[in-house]
Amino acid sequence: MDKIKNYINGELVEPISKAYIDNYDPSRGKVYSLIPDSDERDVELAVTAAKAAFKMWSNTPKEQRARILQRIGYLIEDNLDKLALIESVDNGKPLHLAKLVDIPRAAANFNFYATGILHYAANTHSMEDTAINYTLRQPVGVAGCISPWNLPLYLFTWKIAPALASGCTVVAKPSEVTPMTAYLLSEICMTAGLPKGVLNIVHGLGPKVGNAIVSNKDVPLISFTGGTKTGAHIASIAAPMFKKLSLELGGKNPNIIFADCDYEKMLATTMHSSFSNQGQICLCGSRILVERSIYEKFKTDFVARTKQLTVGPPLNADTKVGAVVSKSHMEKILSYVELAQQEGGKVLCGGKRKIIDGDFKEGYYLEPTIIEGLPYNCRTNQEEIFGPVVTIMPFDKEEEVLMMANSTMYGLASTVWTQDITKAHRVANEIHAGIVWINCWLLRDLRTPFGGVKSSGVGREGGFEAFDFFTEPKNVCIKLK
Ligand code: NAD
């Protein structure tokens, strides 16, 4: 069975413990490879390597850093088919989605930040003939980057690329649930000529490896994407150590549909925003709020289209909904469907595990599920489920839908469907979320800030704000007389 390795100080190495964790193929529910069960000793080695490389890397001209990072981006593009296949097996997502979204975006992360750093500038402030201030932006040091399983290489590189472009060195931990593409990234970095120690990847469990990165005194900055509970735990360790912290956390995003929308476009996009990646995208619209005059029509059409979605093995060309990521996650999602029924909800379609015959019968497949009849403030409508499960609710007035949309502890993303431009801007202005998509979903311009409000996180990644995060401003004031 394949054993993956840590990437420390430019080499692929075994964990010190020599212990390994099972890695499951969710489409078959079977172990197919082994991941290092690393601990704080491996993290210490990685931090030592990253610290030793920092002076050299932060003093490497940015043009040269950019060249190496772009080489990594191009190598990801050259290996698109292989990476997509591995990500699909590791995660359970349809292969076409990995090919279309995940891997191209991982390459784009490197290409965008490699070229972006060349245009990143700091300010000067003149005090007429008294003094001149200039601001230096200096890389913070060793960055700790921790990422989740839902968009494995996409989110891993979304942190690593701007950190490296800024001149930081990195100790990174991918999710133990989907480690494979991060392992291939280590090989790509070696081929691209990334100097040793600049990027270190330590595989293993969150409470062991993640915790050791967060609490290491030589890691002054943490960029984390994952669940809100884990984020709170990380903040409780990092805050008293005064670390720079970016937390990209959970969501319970509203998809607001007004009667005056472009109905066909809305319906087609709502299928994606509900069930793409088995609903395991932090930006999926899991609460669908529909103006009452079109509610019944929407319900009929949405249920009919959802029933047509092919649930199946991720590598099949016609699969629209693959396997969810793990057995425990599948059970969590099913427990929410049960909760929804206890809370008075009616399952309009789906709601069950789907068994696929043959080799895939142990796989973690769920039927895409639509639930109606729940109040906006029940647990099903307030807590993140993170699976192919959405609720639909009617509304009558704009103020009412805004109240419902803003009622959760989360504030990551939202979608608004209307042809009335004034209403669109008015509603966007009132929604408590880091992103509002109007008449679209998941359209991302990498120059724009990304992140959530409330329990969806603190800090912003994306665009040049990522460079602000991975660098520290230092003002130098020179008196002229
Ligand atoms: P998770 O919080 O369980 O794990 C995320 C990462 O943190 C993993 O690498 C894990 O090993 C690590 N970790 C776990 N415990 C840790 C600890 N004590 N100390 C340090 N690290 C630890 O999240 P998940 O289940 O992998 O991902 C799903 C969650 O991520 C969902 O809530 C989803 O909304 C969220 N998410 C948010 C965004 C965003 O941009 N806001 C993007 C994707 C996913």
Side-chain angles (χ1 to χ4, degrees), residues 145-151 155 158-159 173-177 204-214 224-231 233-234 237 247-251 280-283 325 329 332 384 386 410 412 450-452 456-457 461:
C145 298
I146 302 175
S147 62
W149 49 257
N150 62 324
L151 302 166
L155 290 172
W158 178 234
K159 304 176 170 310
K173 189 195 106 54
S175 169
E176 62 274 27
V177 185
L205 301 172
K208 271 159 106 174
V209 176
N211 213 68
I213 295 173
V214 175
F224 170 79
T225 301
T228 294
K229 227 167 136 186
T230 317
H233 174 75
I234 286 174
I237 298 171
L247 299 172
E248 300 289 354
L249 309 176
Q280 303 166 133
I281 301 180
C282 55
L283 307 164
V325 79
H329 193 55
K332 178 193 147 186
E384 186 183 46
F386 214 54
Y410 296 107
L412 187 55
F450 178 87
S456 290
E461 297 186 2

Side-chain angles (χ1 to χ4, degrees), residues 271 275 306-307 309-311 321 347-352 354 366-370 388-390:
M271 295 304 297
F275 301 120
T306 301
K307 282 182 175 165
L309 291 174
T310 312
V311 181
V321 178
V347 175
L348 299 175
C349 64
K352 293 195 295 294
K354 182 170 168 123
L366 290 175
E367 294 171 348
T369 302
I370 304 172
V389 177
V390 297

Side-chain angles (χ1 to χ4, degrees), residues 29-45:
K30 297 216 167 73
V31 178
Y32 85 106
S33 62
L34 297 171
I35 317 160
D37 185 8
S38 313
D39 57 35
E40 71 284 355
R41 293 171 295 170
D42 304 281
V43 171
E44 192 56 48
L45 284 181

Side-chain angles (χ1 to χ4, degrees), residues 255 257 270 274 285-290 298 302 390-394:
N255 176 4
I257 300 168
T270 293
S274 303
S286 52
R287 293 178 297 146
I288 306 178
L289 306 162
V290 188
F298 172 78
F302 186 44
V390 297
T391 60
I392 56 174
M393 286 171 274

